[in-house]
Amino acid sequence: MAETPASPPPSGGDAENRVTLTADEQAEYRRLRRAAAVRHRKARCTGASVLLLIALLLAPLAVVATWLDQEVADTDRYVQTVAPLGSDPAVQSAVTGRLTDRVVAEVNVEAVTQWLGKALADAGAPPAVVDRSDALTGPLRAAVSDVVHRVVDRVVTSDVFEQAWVAANRRAHTAMVNVLTGSRSGAVRAEQDKVVLDLGAVVDEVKKRLVDAGFEKASAIPAPDRQITLFEAGELPQAQAGMRVLDVVGLWLPVLTVLLAALAVWIAPAHRVMLLVAAMGVGVMMVLLLVALAVVRRLYLDAVPASTLPADAAQAIYDTLVRFLRDSTLTLLVVAVITALAAYLYGPGRVARGVRGLAARGTTAAGHGLRRLGLRTGAAGQWLETRRSWTTGIVIAAGVLALLLWNYPTVGAVALVLGLVLLVLVVLAVLAAAGGPGRPASRAP
């Protein structure tokens, strides 16, 4: 059996350390290497698949947790969410109707008609007229209701109501955040398991105004107990603990999801294919989240009685409260579709090759046109041509970073960043094509 010397060991060595293998031993060695490579590839595929599955399951939870954390912990974001309700016609109509009913209920129309009947009797009116005074109860109630409704409607549909709505929601949300976070600032805050109202600022303001009005002795008024216990909440510590958990989950769950997806793409043997699968998976999960929001909307509208809240007002309230969650979901869906499309276009498919070829011919033709006009980029263009993969990666990374740093990106923001990235890539490709081939040394001037 023939013997074939083995290749030199990677770490070096002299001829005495060489090992000779027979042809059969070399064949067995190659078979074992191929088997080990297959097992390694399968392990990487399995690990990447598990990581990607976990990331996809966490994706909708991360979106909802981030939205909920923003609404609960960020007063400005909450006010931005509920502010449109103050100017919504359906909500204004519901508020007007509710306030009108409350005011009319406080008016004792029966007492008025009884007083009118007694006054008529005292004035000597005929008995038939006195007896029919009770029939005025219905028309009088309708007239009062109509007048009150017009007055309330003018107030509710004015800018004053919108401003009062925003201010009231801001104060209420700020007080709630102070209680849930245990903040020591603000008039309403938590003290152990009690919710207290601190009147210190009010007392100081009253004393100041009294002094300004001429009551100089008011500055010496002793300060009483400035804290008033509004109510005791035995479950307040649990609520505060839940708030802390929400802060952690809302911040780190999206980060964990992105890291798991990125790790899955990095571990997978075929990075581009795994990126394509991950983007498609995220897109599917966002579609499922949008479907879930639609189902919850239908359940909510069916559960709200018409006597409690009109259907159009309930619809406006739900759509307004979840609109930022829906916008974030749509944004992620668009990003997933763009990522999947980019991963496909970098692949070996016929359509992908055709698109890349068409783009290359277009930028090359534009670059040659610049050269014919005398606008050569020279060495800079050649540098761009030889480092096209690096420049492309840097531009795409800059676009991704811009979206990550964007405060609450929308579909419009994604379209804007995508357009800028494509524009920069096209400009770089045209400049690279305008550089032209380097001149031979013999023909150099």
Side-chain angles (χ1 to χ4, degrees):
M1 184 176 297
E3 293 185 355
T4 304
S7 301
S11 59
D14 51 21
E16 297 179 356
N17 295 328
R18 294 178 181 272
V19 178
T20 57
L21 299 177
T22 63
D24 293 340
E25 288 174 339
Q26 284 192 345
E28 180 65 13
Y29 173 74
R30 296 192 192 96
R31 187 188 66 80
L32 293 176
R33 283 190 60 116
R34 285 195 298 268
V38 170
R39 287 196 298 269
H40 182 63
R41 185 182 182 86
K42 288 182 178 179
R44 291 176 61 186
C45 290
T46 302
S49 301
V50 172
L51 292 174
L52 180 60
L53 178 61
I54 297 175
L56 294 181
L57 293 177
L58 292 178
L61 298 178
V63 175
V64 175
T66 302
W67 167 76
L68 189 60
D69 180 51
Q70 292 170 352
E71 296 295 331
V72 174
D74 190 344
T75 298
D76 292 335
R77 185 66 166 177
Y78 170 78
V79 172
Q80 187 181 3
T81 300
V82 300
L85 292 176
S87 58
D88 188 271
V91 176
Q92 291 179 343
S93 177
V95 172
T96 300
R98 185 67 58 86
L99 291 178
T100 300
D101 294 341
R102 290 286 182 87
V103 173
V104 173
E106 297 297 326
V107 179
N108 194 344
V109 180
E110 290 78 6
V112 174
T113 55
Q114 291 176 4
W115 173 84
L116 179 61
K118 185 176 181 300
L120 291 174
D122 294 341
V129 175
V130 175
D131 294 339
R132 292 181 179 178
S133 62
D134 293 339
L136 296 175
T137 301
L140 183 59
R141 185 183 297 277
V144 171
S145 178
D146 183 63
V147 172
V148 172
H149 187 276
R150 287 201 302 269
V151 174
V152 173
D153 183 69
R154 282 198 298 269
V155 175
V156 172
T157 56
S158 66
D159 296 337
V160 175
F161 176 76
E162 296 181 27
Q163 297 170 3
W165 171 265
V166 172
N169 277 278
R170 182 176 294 277
R171 287 194 301 268
H173 193 273
T174 301
M176 181 201 69
V177 172
N178 288 338
V179 170
L180 292 180
T181 59
S183 175
R184 306 294 299 177
S185 62
V188 180
R189 57 176 182 260
E191 297 285 350
Q192 296 180 351
D193 59 348
K194 298 178 181 179
V195 178
V196 299
L197 174 63
D198 189 354
L199 298 177
V202 178
V203 173
D204 294 339
E205 181 65 21
V206 170
K207 291 168 64 175
K208 180 178 180 299
R209 293 196 178 189
L210 288 175
V211 172
D212 294 341
F215 297 94
E216 298 179 358
K217 300 292 185 181
S219 60
I221 296 176
D225 186 3
R226 296 187 171 198
Q227 289 186 351
I228 298 177
T229 300
L230 298 179
F231 58 89
E232 296 184 5
E235 297 183 356
L236 182 58
Q238 290 82 351
Q240 292 175 338
M243 182 68 175
R244 290 190 292 270
V245 172
L246 181 60
D247 285 338
V248 174
V249 173
L251 175 63
W252 292 108
L253 187 57
V255 176
L256 177 62
T257 303
V258 173
L259 289 179
L260 289 176
L263 189 60
V265 174
W266 182 68
I267 290 178
H271 304 309
R272 184 191 62 83
V273 175
M274 182 55 71
L275 179 61
L276 175 62
V277 173
M280 294 176 61
V282 171
V284 171
M285 298 306 293
M286 294 303 102
V287 171
L288 293 179
L289 182 55
L290 291 174
V291 173
L293 289 176
V295 172
V296 173
R297 180 179 187 271
R298 185 70 268 166
L299 295 177
Y300 166 75
L301 295 180
D302 293 340
V304 177
S307 58
T308 302
L309 192 65
D312 55 349
Q315 177 179 335
I317 291 174
Y318 179 86
D319 292 340
T320 301
L321 291 180
V322 303
R323 76 181 191 279
F324 286 136
L325 175 58
R326 187 183 293 112
D327 291 346
S328 299
T329 306
L330 286 174
T331 301
L332 287 177
L333 176 59
V334 172
V335 171
V337 171
I338 293 174
T339 304
L341 183 61
Y344 171 76
L345 291 178
Y346 272 92
R350 178 182 300 178
V351 176
R353 293 197 306 270
V355 171
R356 294 200 302 269
L358 179 63
R361 289 192 295 272
T363 55
T364 301
H368 290 173
L370 292 179
R371 291 171 56 190
R372 285 193 295 271
L373 294 175
L375 301 176
R376 292 176 175 269
T377 55
Q382 297 172 16
W383 185 89
L384 290 174
E385 179 65 30
T386 56
R387 292 168 176 81
R388 178 170 294 187
S389 59
W390 282 95
T391 56
T392 301
I394 291 174
V395 172
I396 294 177
V400 173
L401 182 61
L403 286 179
L404 292 177
L405 297 179
W406 198 295
N407 193 18
Y408 308 125
T410 60
V411 175
V414 174
L416 175 62
V417 172
L418 176 63
L420 291 176
V421 168
L422 293 177
L423 177 62
V424 172
L425 291 178
V426 169
V427 170
L428 292 179
V430 172
L431 293 178
R439 295 188 177 185
S442 59
R443 298 181 57 184

